[in-house]
Amino acid sequence: IVFTLSLVVALYWEFSGREARVHRQATITPAQRSRNRTIVTVISAVVLLLLPWIIGQYISNVVDQVLTFALMALGLNIVVGFAGLLDLGYVAFFAIGAYVTALMTSSGNLGMHQSFWVAVPVAVAASTLAGIILGVPVLRLRGDYLAIVTLGFGEIIRVLVVSDLLKPYIGGAQGITQVERPSIFGYDIISPQAFYYLLLAGVLLALYISSRLRDGRAGRRWMALREDEDVAEAMGIHLVNSKLMAFAIGAALAGLAGAIFASRIASVFPNSFNLLISINVLAIIIVGGLGSLPGVILGAFVLVGLPELLREFEEYRLLMYGVLLIVMMLVRPEGLWPSAVRRRELHAEGEIAEHEGIQPEPVQPLM
């Protein structure tokens, strides 16, 4: 049912939905547009608030996992989608946030028995500092070289976590257990429905930060940096500050996701922070649409939510996952919900000619 409805909606949007929306937006008045926006906002808020109690505990747990990846993907979207810096070791910041929270809140031998709300700012600060430390030595690297260095950074964190050197402090392969759950006004957040609201607040905060940065000076600097670093530097953009800012903010959001993840699972283990996590998060923003905020959320639901809901088809789940990625790259390389800039980059000439009825100029023969 889900696949059929998704296919019907996609076909409708591709053939007539987009044109109908553009025509409708061009004909309505500003007052009607404002009223429609208010109605959609109110309905969306009511649905989001009531959603976990409608879908039940199991699907709420799946949605929690989707929101966790969406929060990470929004941070990576700043680094890759906005600034164009390919980061393959992004899971390291997620692990740092999770381990710092676990060490501060655990009631076991390794814990400090602190509150979750005390641990979260420390975890975010630690992840941000790690992002800056990573950003300093790779300021002059680009493309594949940057990807290899960030991949190495992620592997260093993974090896340190499982090493015997740090085992007395962070538990080694046995991890850290007995992580305390957050509490608000004496109410312990334990159930998936309760964690849904905490994760939703984190995702909304990340969306707000990302949108403000994208539409501000930082976003324009990142866009220029993504297109051409040499031209951006020639125009007076400080490459060092711009790159460090992107790494730091992306790492901070990953640290926030890791902090909530550790509290939701009530334990952390090294196998939860392997390279596949970074690859999945990168796939989310590519499938959803590089630089697109709603595309990141949609990509998280498609690549994380659907595989979890299709656990009944265990033998074919990853096959469908792979087929979806291949089809996406062939049919819609700009993503499911691309940003306007990304759509223009990939389909500018063809869409403009088709929309305006311009016939392409005939190719003159050489002889």
Side-chain angles (χ1 to χ4, degrees):
I1 293 174
V2 169
F3 278 115
T4 303
L5 291 177
S6 301
L7 180 61
V8 170
V9 171
L11 290 176
Y12 166 76
W13 180 259
E14 189 67 28
F15 290 104
S16 60
R18 184 183 293 113
E19 294 183 1
R21 181 179 181 275
V22 171
H23 177 73
R24 185 170 62 254
Q25 291 292 331
T27 55
I28 63 176
T29 63
Q32 292 174 329
R33 186 179 294 109
S34 177
R35 183 190 61 191
N36 294 341
R37 187 181 298 113
T38 302
I39 294 174
V40 171
T41 301
V42 171
I43 294 176
S44 300
V46 172
V47 171
L48 289 175
L49 290 175
L50 298 179
L51 183 62
W53 309 105
I54 297 174
I55 60 181
Q57 184 171 352
Y58 170 70
I59 301 184
S60 294
N61 192 35
V62 175
V63 173
D64 289 349
Q65 189 169 353
V66 170
L67 293 178
T68 301
F69 273 87
L71 183 54
M72 281 194 293
L74 286 169
L76 187 61
N77 189 52
I78 292 176
V79 181
V80 180
F82 291 173
L85 305 172
L86 184 56
D87 187 352
L88 294 181
Y90 190 68
V91 69
F93 309 120
F94 180 63
I96 291 172
Y99 266 92
V100 170
T101 302
L103 288 172
M104 293 190 65
T105 62
S106 175
S107 57
N109 296 329
L110 299 176
M112 302 179 184
H113 311 281
Q114 297 294 323
S115 169
F116 171 80
W117 304 109
V118 175
V120 167
V122 179
V124 173
S127 300
T128 304
L129 180 61
I132 295 174
I133 293 175
L134 171 63
V136 169
V138 301
L139 293 176
R140 295 299 175 183
L141 298 180
R142 305 179 185 180
D144 301 336
Y145 303 101
L146 176 62
I148 292 173
V149 171
T150 55
L151 176 62
F153 177 77
E155 286 300 295
I156 289 173
I157 297 298
R158 184 188 64 82
V159 171
L160 288 176
V161 166
V162 299
S163 66
D164 293 333
L165 176 65
L166 298 180
K167 184 177 180 179
Y169 308 103
I170 60 176
Q174 284 73 34
I176 303 174
T177 58
Q178 302 178 23
V179 179
E180 293 292 331
R181 303 294 180 88
S183 177
I184 300 178
F185 302 114
Y187 174 75
D188 294 331
I189 301 177
I190 299 176
S191 65
Q193 287 95 335
F195 266 102
Y196 164 83
Y197 295 106
L198 184 60
L199 285 165
L200 179 63
V203 170
L204 292 178
L205 176 63
L207 284 171
Y208 175 77
I209 293 174
S210 299
S211 62
R212 296 292 292 178
L213 290 172
R214 178 196 59 192
D215 299 332
R217 293 183 178 179
R220 292 193 290 271
R221 288 198 297 266
W222 288 334
M223 185 178 297
L225 178 67
R226 181 188 64 193
E227 297 301 328
D228 195 313
E229 290 189 12
D230 295 329
V231 174
E233 188 174 19
M235 294 176 63
I237 295 176
H238 201 292
L239 297 184
V240 174
N241 292 345
S242 299
K243 288 185 177 182
L244 285 181
M245 185 178 181
F247 272 113
I249 296 176
L253 294 180
L256 177 61
I260 301 176
F261 171 81
S263 181
R264 183 170 71 91
I265 304 300
S267 60
V268 290
F269 297 98
N271 57 7
S272 299
F273 310 103
N274 52 36
L275 176 62
L276 187 60
I277 302 297
S278 293
I279 301 301
N280 284 341
V281 177
L282 182 62
I284 285 173
I285 64 175
I286 292 176
V287 170
L290 283 172
S292 171
L293 299 183
V296 170
I297 305 299
L298 180 59
F301 273 95
V302 171
L303 294 186
V304 179
L306 285 182
E308 288 297 323
L309 294 176
L310 295 175
R311 282 192 176 273
E312 298 178 7
F313 309 98
E314 183 68 29
E315 298 179 358
Y316 307 101
R317 193 162 56 100
L318 293 180
L319 176 63
M320 295 172 153
Y321 188 92
V323 170
L324 174 63
L325 292 180
I326 294 174
V327 171
M328 277 297 306
M329 293 302 99
L330 294 176
V331 179
R332 290 185 65 87
E334 72 274 18
L336 292 172
W337 195 328
S339 62
V341 175
R342 183 72 173 170
R343 185 186 294 116
R344 287 197 300 267
E345 288 176 352
L346 295 178
H347 298 285
E349 296 181 359
E351 287 190 357
I352 293 175
E354 181 180 355
H355 181 70
E356 297 182 358
I358 300 176
Q359 296 295 330
E361 296 181 1
V363 178
Q364 299 296 331
L366 295 178
M367 299 296 296

